[in-house]
Amino acid sequence: MSDALTELEASVRADLARIAHPHAAWLEPKRGPDGKLALDVLIVGAGQSGIAIGFGLMRSRVSNILLLDKAEEGKEGPWLTYARMPTLRSPKDYTGPDLDIPSLTYQSWHEARFSKESWQTLNLILREHWAEYLLWLRRTIGLPVRNGCELLEIAPASDGLLAARVKRAGGIETLHARKIVLATGQEGMGGWIIPEPLRDLPASAVATVADDIDFEGLRGKRVAVIGAGASAFDNAATALEAGAAQVHLLCRRAQIQVIQPYRWLTFRGFLRHLSDLDDAWRWRFMRTILEMREGFPQPTYDRCARHANFILHEGAPVEGARQIDGDIQLQTPRGAVIADFVICGTGIDMNFAGRSELRAFAGNIASWADRYQPPEDERNVRLGRFPYLADDYAFTERVPGTTPWISDIHLFAIASTMSFGPSGSSINAMTTAVPKLVNGLTRGLFRADIERHWASLSAYDVPQAVVTRPAGNVGKAR
């Protein structure tokens, strides 16, 4: 480690010590039905969101926590797996998992790792550097993380606890916790969409943008990319750079979307208070934003457009697909597109029952469609399937009283978007969204222990001063 990074870590420790008030521990450990100590909070996902949540809890003196991630250490999140852009799309000065501690910002790490001059000349953050920074952050603040652990099931346990069945190399174990946070990014409540017309094609010929695609194997092949968001363009560019003979990008809109609504909404009022609005306003804002979808930046488009064998098809939704003599024919209103391989960049759909950890109670997780019926001209069936979350990011019940324990399962992922705006899916929202979640978690833990706190106050008899009363000098009433 460089001297500059060593000095930075010393600065971090000093900063955290200066803002540690109040120091007092306020939680007492509970034991699970197996006799082992239960966690106060189990965080599923150790990517950027999980790290920020864990950090926020530790600053709130909730230290009996554990983060799980099914990936190996350093491979959490998309950055070194299916993210296929050279750099982050967020401006370099966006803060996030540092939670407003200057010495923990990416800028501080970058300057210590490379130099202040490097930061000054930096345009956008390399995704490999962001992954390295997140790993440094997690180690520097001392988060307890177990990698190679996959959550299989959540169920109620005795004494108000939750039981999490977890698969790891040594087998399957059950962890007990008072609260569980699903910081599971893109796929937390569903899966990547393969459009209906493509579902009968051979599995070997179709992938989503999150799949492990052998791009070298596409050299000399014809590739069709369905969708026109940033991830679709990233995959198209990766195929072109790998030597694909042709890459067709099919956009369903008559004109491709170039506006990035997430740049508009990055201000404190929206990020902090969208969730305080009534359902009608929340729906109106988020439906408009999500139907626009995330626009792509100029370098992302240029990365494709510089290749003469890149073909953009606007107004070309896929209406049908079939394989004939090894060729995949995609039918669109503008004619057929012939390909050897298809990549779907069409987003995520909600499917609670499709997640093993949720399957047992998926039918009682309330969705937006269960809670709000928008006007006719604002309806969107797909967005209605998003979970309808409480003000602390917790699941709510479709039928109250049937599964009351799900109020201790909190969701901080892309599926939180309809209830909270960009929160569990975006760097730009972390500094406002994570404290809101952490406050909700600590509120729930405090309220659950209210009788103990009342008993503690009632028994509190620690004197703060000693009063001496000399003999013969006792005041008398007159």
Side-chain angles (χ1 to χ4, degrees):
M1 183 185 298
S2 71
D3 290 343
L5 272 176
T6 301
E7 291 173 9
L8 177 61
E9 291 178 8
S11 262
V12 169
R13 289 190 290 272
D15 287 346
L16 293 178
R18 289 189 188 102
I19 60 172
H21 169 79
H23 291 271
W26 59 280
L27 288 163
E28 287 186 357
K30 298 178 72 170
R31 291 196 177 273
D34 56 2
K36 297 178 181 178
L37 288 179
L39 297 161
D40 290 321
V41 183
L42 174 65
I43 301 169
V44 182
Q48 61 186 20
S49 292
I51 289 171
I53 296 162
F55 182 35
L57 286 168
M58 290 177 70
R59 288 185 62 195
S60 297
R61 299 297 171 268
V62 182
S63 55
N64 178 27
I65 63 174
L66 178 65
L67 283 72
L68 303 180
D69 202 290
K70 63 183 179 181
E72 63 183 88
E73 183 174 306
K75 293 292 182 68
E76 303 87 357
W79 311 112
L80 301 180
T81 53
Y82 66 85
R84 294 180 176 121
M85 67 286 204
T87 66
L88 272 63
R89 287 185 271 270
S90 303
K92 68 178 184 179
D93 59 352
Y94 278 13
T95 56
D98 53 86
L99 297 186
D100 294 331
I101 307 298
S103 55
L104 284 173
T105 60
Y106 177 85
Q107 178 178 349
S108 293
W109 177 84
H110 187 99
E111 290 178 347
R113 175 77 168 77
F114 301 106
S115 71
K116 290 186 177 181
E117 293 74 23
S118 172
W119 172 259
Q120 292 300 323
T121 58
L122 180 68
N123 181 21
L124 293 170
I125 298 170
L126 293 175
R127 59 181 173 85
E128 294 87 353
H129 289 169
W130 184 253
E132 186 181 346
Y133 159 71
L134 291 175
L135 193 57
W136 171 83
L137 178 63
R138 148 185 163 180
R139 291 171 176 169
T140 300
I141 59 182
L143 283 178
V145 181
R146 285 187 200 167
N147 287 92
C149 293
E150 182 179 2
L151 176 63
L152 299 178
E153 182 185 15
I154 302 173
S158 60
D159 199 20
L161 296 173
L162 296 170
R165 288 182 66 245
V166 176
K167 179 181 178 181
R168 57 188 307 196
I172 294 176
E173 65 176 325
T174 298
L175 301 174
H176 292 95
R178 297 181 67 179
K179 287 186 172 290
I180 293 177
V181 178
L182 302 176
T184 40
Q186 297 278 344
E187 301 174 17
M189 296 297 292
W192 294 88
I193 299 170
I194 294 179
E196 183 69 37
L198 304 176
R199 293 176 190 173
D200 291 332
L201 293 175
S204 60
V206 180
T208 73
V209 293
D211 288 332
D212 184 11
I213 299 171
D214 176 17
F215 283 94
E216 284 301 316
L218 299 180
R219 182 179 299 276
K221 301 290 181 66
R222 299 160 297 180
V223 178
V225 179
I226 315 300
S231 293
F233 270 95
D234 288 335
N235 279 262
T238 304
L240 289 161
E241 291 159 1
Q246 286 184 333
V247 174
H248 301 264
L249 191 140
L250 280 62
C251 171
R252 61 182 173 81
R253 298 174 187 271
Q255 290 189 322
I256 203 162
Q257 159 74 6
V258 296
I259 306 299
Q260 170 54 293
Y262 276 43
R263 291 295 176 91
W264 173 85
L265 60 77
T266 305
F267 60 94
R268 293 280 183 178
F270 187 91
L271 295 175
R272 184 172 290 167
H273 299 298
L274 172 78
S275 60
D276 299 331
L277 301 177
D278 62 28
D279 289 350
W281 272 116
R282 286 196 289 171
W283 178 271
R284 186 172 301 161
F285 272 110
M286 292 317 303
R287 181 191 66 86
T288 299
I289 289 165
L290 294 177
E291 285 185 351
M292 288 176 71
R293 301 182 71 85
E294 229 181 312
F296 51 87
Q298 189 67 49
T300 300
Y301 174 76
D302 293 343
R303 189 178 164 205
C304 290
R306 69 170 58 102
H307 296 270
N309 53 339
F310 172 67
I311 305 103
L312 172 63
H313 303 264
E314 295 174 292
V318 177
E319 298 175 330
R322 56 182 180 171
Q323 189 174 43
I324 301 176
D325 298 329
D327 291 339
I328 297 170
Q329 292 189 8
L330 303 176
Q331 300 298 325
T332 81
R334 302 177 65 87
V337 172
I338 309 300
D340 301 299
F341 192 78
V342 182
I343 302 173
C344 302
T346 42
I348 298 281
D349 199 6
M350 299 300 110
N351 178 14
F352 308 160
R355 306 291 304 180
S356 67
E357 65 270 31
L358 309 178
R359 191 169 296 135
F361 55 94
N364 204 41
I365 298 174
S367 69
W368 267 82
D370 295 320
R371 291 289 187 267
Y372 177 66
Q373 292 302 315
E376 182 71 33
D377 61 347
E378 292 184 11
R379 291 183 183 175
N380 183 307
V381 174
R382 184 177 71 86
L383 299 183
R385 291 195 286 268
F386 276 61
Y388 186 95
L389 303 177
D391 66 354
D392 59 354
Y393 288 83
F395 288 143
T396 57
E397 296 181 275
R398 289 182 68 243
V399 181
T402 308
T403 56
W405 48 273
I406 69 173
S407 64
D408 285 320
I409 305 173
H410 304 254
L411 178 68
F412 197 81
I414 198 168
S416 311
T417 303
M418 286 303 298
S419 296
F420 287 90
S423 48
S425 61
S426 302
I427 296 169
N428 66 333
M430 276 193 185
T431 53
T432 55
V434 170
K436 187 185 291 284
L437 169 62
V438 170
N439 289 345
L441 293 168
T442 56
R443 181 183 70 193
L445 292 169
F446 175 73
R447 286 179 174 174
D449 289 349
I450 199 64
E451 295 291 343
R452 178 175 66 81
H453 291 305
W454 173 246
S456 175
L457 173 60
S458 300
Y460 187 73
D461 60 357
V462 179
Q464 184 171 270
V466 176
V467 177
T468 57
R469 298 176 177 86
N473 192 26
V474 179
K476 297 180 179 180
R478 294 180 184 273

